Amino acid sequence: PQDQNNGKISDHAGIAFCQAFYRSLANMDSVRKAFDIGCAAARKEMRGEVGSDGRFILLPEDSDHDERVFSPIAGTFRETTRPPPPSNAPAPPTFYVGRTSDQCVCVESILRHRLTTIGGGYGSGKSALAMATADYASQHRRIDAVVWVDVTTADRFFADVTEAAEKVIQKAEDDDLNPMNKKMMNIKKRSSSIDTHAPDTSILVDLASAGRVLVVLNDFENLVLNGFGGQGV
């Protein structure tokens, strides 16, 4: 908690100050301007004037702080950080706690086996667990792509899978830094546009051959319980 009497500040205010201060310096602002920007950011996190009440002091007080720490660098910059694998999976729920052990079991299973099934009653959080597992495996570079399929009906099953794969391929194509970019471009050249009435399922084979692909069939149990629309399992 903040103490207005002895000059203490909250952790959030301190973090806000540091982030704004160093970001301003990186933008080649003067130290004094960066200090003022940092104080303004901290002020949003706490009550009262920050910077004028002694909680933040620009030292040494008798020095010239109007100089810039960084100067422009000649040339251009190119982003080289490897992007996360292409994925169309939904982001995990914001409030997702108490399932870490289940998530670890799922991650280990998908890395060791070709098929992993998440079971449970309706509303037990199967989809949330699948989202968190896919996100973890993706962020830690354990797989090369994630294809999230929201299964609808038996008649549209292959169309659902193919359309989801097409979205992932498109994401890989749009990112020049993605290691699967060139592979995806080759797949795109070999695969014609998707016809939902007669989907080109060979695109799934091509996608799988391009790397380690995690395919999540969300709500697939509905098809199993309904016997694939009466066609039998």
Side-chain angles (χ1 to χ4, degrees):
Q2 301 168 11
D3 188 335
Q4 300 293 334
N5 297 321
N6 59 17
K8 289 184 178 180
I9 63 170
S10 66
D11 290 340
H12 292 295
I15 293 173
F17 174 88
C18 291
Q19 289 177 336
F21 177 76
Y22 288 110
R23 187 182 301 115
S24 180
L25 288 181
N27 288 331
M28 293 175 289
D29 293 330
S30 67
V31 175
R32 186 176 301 279
K33 182 177 181 180
F35 175 79
D36 293 338
I37 291 176
C39 289
R43 189 178 300 120
K44 295 181 180 180
E45 297 290 338
M46 56 190 301
R47 298 177 181 178
E49 293 295 322
V50 180
S52 60
D53 61 0
R55 276 179 262 193
F56 284 97
I57 302 175
L58 188 57
L59 298 175
E61 297 184 72
D62 57 349
S63 295
D64 180 14
H65 298 294
D66 293 325
E67 295 183 357
R68 296 178 178 178
V69 176
F70 301 105
S71 58
I73 301 176
T76 58
F77 294 91
R78 183 171 63 89
E79 178 61 62
T80 58
T81 303
R82 182 181 176 183
S87 169
N88 68 327
T94 303
F95 300 100
Y96 181 79
V97 295
R99 305 291 296 275
T100 304
S101 59
D102 293 336
Q103 178 181 312
C104 291
V105 171
C106 288
V107 171
E108 182 178 2
S109 178
I110 64 176
L111 294 177
R112 291 188 176 186
H113 308 288
R114 293 176 59 87
L115 175 64
T116 296
T117 303
I118 300 177
Y122 178 80
S124 60
K126 299 185 297 298
S127 295
L129 178 57
M131 293 176 194
T133 300
D135 181 71
Y136 180 91
S138 177
Q139 293 300 327
H140 288 76
R141 308 294 194 275
R142 305 304 299 271
I143 52 179
D144 298 312
V146 179
V147 179
W148 181 279
V149 184
D150 285 314
V151 179
T152 55
T153 64
D155 293 337
R156 279 195 50 83
F157 175 70
F158 286 108
D160 290 337
V161 176
T162 304
E163 290 171 6
E166 176 72 5
K167 293 179 181 178
V168 174
I169 291 175
Q170 187 62 52
K171 285 191 174 185
E173 288 178 349
D174 293 340
D175 194 339
D176 294 335
L177 293 178
N178 197 292
M180 293 189 73
N181 176 271
K182 293 183 179 179
K183 295 179 180 180
M184 294 298 101
M185 291 297 288
N186 291 333
I187 291 173
K188 187 69 173 182
K189 291 178 181 178
R190 295 197 302 268
S191 301
S192 58
S193 60
I194 301 300
D195 180 359
T196 56
H197 297 290
D200 180 11
T201 53
S202 65
I203 195 174
L204 304 178
V205 179
D206 291 334
L207 179 59
S209 65
R212 300 166 300 176
V213 180
L214 172 63
V215 179
V216 182
L217 302 178
N218 189 42
D219 291 334
F220 182 76
E221 70 273 14
N222 292 334
L223 298 187
V224 176
L225 293 176
N226 295 328
F228 279 89
Q231 299 175 20
V233 180

